[in-house]
Amino acid sequence: AQSVTQLGSHVSVSEGALVLLRCNYSSSVPPYLFWYVQYPNQGLQLLLKYTSAATLVKGINGFEAEFKKSETSFHLTKPSAHMSDAAEYFCAVSDLGLTGANSKLTFGKGITLSVRP
Amino acid sequence: KAGVTQTPRYLIKTRGQQVTLSCSPISGHRSVSWYQQTPGQGLQFLFEYFSETQRNKGNFPGRFSGRQFSNSRSEMNVSTLELGDSALYLCASSLRGPYSGANVLTFGAGSRLTVL
């Protein structure tokens, strides 16, 4: 079964600083990988996805992630943090179910991003 | 276009009761998935429905059940509630079926259940 590791539960950066949120995955098959963001009292919003095309994936709000197979990583970055980026971020891998369906997502524990003025 | 709508947004129940949560997917989406989010366990997959059939199931006890109607709307039910069932229950819909690969899920805002 696939799994996702997000090291650390909280990251704090200054406004304008680089944002780096780490994600490592475990998968026995080529994975589909996703980053979602959750704002307080809201559901999850898709930031970006990797589907075996380009290894550098650009998403919404200036975020991007790079798929590195040799490192089994899919870290999320943003060159310059904005106050509005404060939220919880989840990395997820598409998981094969018992029936072979591959739309089930396995999520990491999530990382809370704080942005200091 | 309207997003995924979940009702109710908040509810309080007592142990032993049952609860039904509703989810209306984005128009045209035929696949609906349910996830449970708790501080301790994080986001966990409950089940997925496509064309009124359960296609995928997570590792939850039989007290958790769901169904999907012909208009793709879905409900999930939890019977004999326990304190540990307190959670945010998220519904997500997707355009393609569960075997289509890289299926993008669009999530609703969730139903927050508190069990006293």
Side-chain angles (χ1 to χ4, degrees), chain B:
Chain B
K1 133 175 163 176
V4 178
T5 303
Q6 293 188 245
T7 57
R9 287 293 313 278
Y10 302 91
L11 67 166
I12 300 173
K13 294 285 187 178
T14 56
R15 278 180 299 174
Q17 288 187 309
Q18 73 163 7
V19 66
T20 298
L21 308 178
S22 180
C23 173
S24 293
I26 290 173
S27 178
H29 284 198
R30 296 169 60 196
S31 178
V32 173
S33 302
W34 289 88
Y35 289 79
Q36 181 197 63
Q37 185 177 23
T38 60
Q41 299 299 316
L43 283 151
Q44 294 187 288
F45 172 77
L46 281 157
F47 26 66
E48 176 183 15
Y49 287 86
F50 180 75
S51 294
E52 301 178 64
T53 302
Q54 187 179 89
R55 304 289 181 163
N56 212 344
K57 187 177 186 301
N59 189 25
F60 278 81
R63 299 186 297 107
F64 292 80
S65 63
R67 59 178 176 169
Q68 187 181 33
F69 302 95
S70 58
N71 61 357
S72 294
R73 190 177 69 85
S74 176
E75 289 180 347
M76 68 162 283
N77 183 276
V78 188
S79 62
T80 320
L81 284 166
E82 301 177 358
L83 295 179
D85 297 333
S86 294
L88 180 66
Y89 290 89
L90 292 165
C91 169
S93 73
S94 58
L95 182 61
R96 297 186 294 177
Y99 304 95
S100 302
N103 221 351
V104 174
L105 302 184
T106 301
F107 285 82
S111 292
R112 184 166 295 281
L113 170 65
T114 301
V115 182
L116 302 177

Side-chain angles (χ1 to χ4, degrees), chain A residues 62-105:
Chain A
F63 285 94
E64 62 182 37
E66 186 172 9
F67 172 71
K68 292 187 177 180
K69 184 178 178 180
S70 60
E71 298 177 8
T72 61
S73 69
F74 190 56
H75 302 330
L76 182 72
T77 60
K78 181 174 180 177
S80 177
H82 193 272
M83 296 295 289
S84 61
D85 295 327
E88 191 162 15
Y89 292 80
F90 294 90
C91 181
V93 62
S94 185
D95 200 346
L96 286 173
L98 292 174
T99 60
N102 60 0
S103 55
K104 168 191 169 186
L105 293 182

Side-chain angles (χ1 to χ4, degrees), chain A residues 34-89:
Chain A
F34 306 81
W35 275 99
Y36 280 87
V37 61
Q38 185 177 34
Y39 298 100
N41 298 316
Q42 295 187 28
L44 283 77
Q45 179 183 7
L46 179 70
L47 278 176
L48 48 79
K49 64 179 181 181
Y50 167 75
T51 59
S52 74
T55 56
L56 182 61
V57 181
K58 294 188 184 298
I60 62 171
N61 302 337
F63 285 94
E64 62 182 37
E66 186 172 9
F67 172 71
K68 292 187 177 180
K69 184 178 178 180
S70 60
E71 298 177 8
T72 61
S73 69
F74 190 56
H75 302 330
L76 182 72
T77 60
K78 181 174 180 177
S80 177
H82 193 272
M83 296 295 289
S84 61
D85 295 327
E88 191 162 15
Y89 292 80

